[in-house]
Amino acid sequence: MVVAVSVGLAVVVGVIRIFKGWPLHIMIITGYLIVLLLTLVAPGEMIGIAYDSGGVTTSTITVPLVTALGVGLASSIKGRSPMLDGFGLIALASVMPIIFVLLFGIVGLHLLPGVTP
């Protein structure tokens, strides 16, 4: 559920990014800096699972679906690059599950007594 919600949220953020024209490189760099910082405090058992969850976006269903959404949306907005914005959604959808699973591990370990991630 955490991975599914995070991919959905990444698509929403990516669509907003396309509409607003926010720079992709800033969002990706910020995302991976957050991943690195969360890795320092996340439980060791969750780190491998979290990093592996970023691979969910490379499936045979997710890539064409998300890319088509990004390319189609960017094509319909004047001044947007369909290729950059289409693959930008994939990049955001790759980093967001890692962040969410690491946060899930931190919340489960530190805030919920008796729950082990």
Side-chain angles (χ1 to χ4, degrees):
M1 291 296 290
V2 172
V3 174
V5 168
S6 64
V7 170
L9 183 64
V11 170
V12 169
V13 169
V15 167
I16 293 171
R17 184 194 73 79
I18 292 171
F19 279 130
K20 299 285 187 179
W22 295 337
L24 177 64
H25 65 282
I26 302 271
M27 295 182 79
I28 297 300
I29 291 170
T30 303
Y32 278 107
L33 286 175
I34 292 170
V35 166
L36 291 174
L37 292 174
L38 288 175
T39 301
L40 296 174
V41 295
E45 304 87 15
M46 294 300 287
I47 293 172
I49 295 169
Y51 278 75
D52 196 40
S53 71
V56 74
T57 58
T58 60
S59 72
T60 56
I61 300 294
T62 309
V63 169
L65 183 68
V66 173
T67 303
L69 173 68
V71 170
L73 184 62
S75 296
S76 66
I77 299 174
K78 188 173 183 171
R80 298 288 189 262
S81 167
M83 295 310 289
L84 177 64
D85 290 324
F87 289 104
L89 277 176
I90 296 292
L92 285 175
S94 293
V95 73
M96 198 78 80
I98 302 171
I99 293 170
F100 272 55
V101 172
L102 288 172
L103 286 172
F104 178 73
I106 293 167
V107 168
L109 181 67
H110 298 296
L111 298 179
L112 301 173
V115 175
T116 57

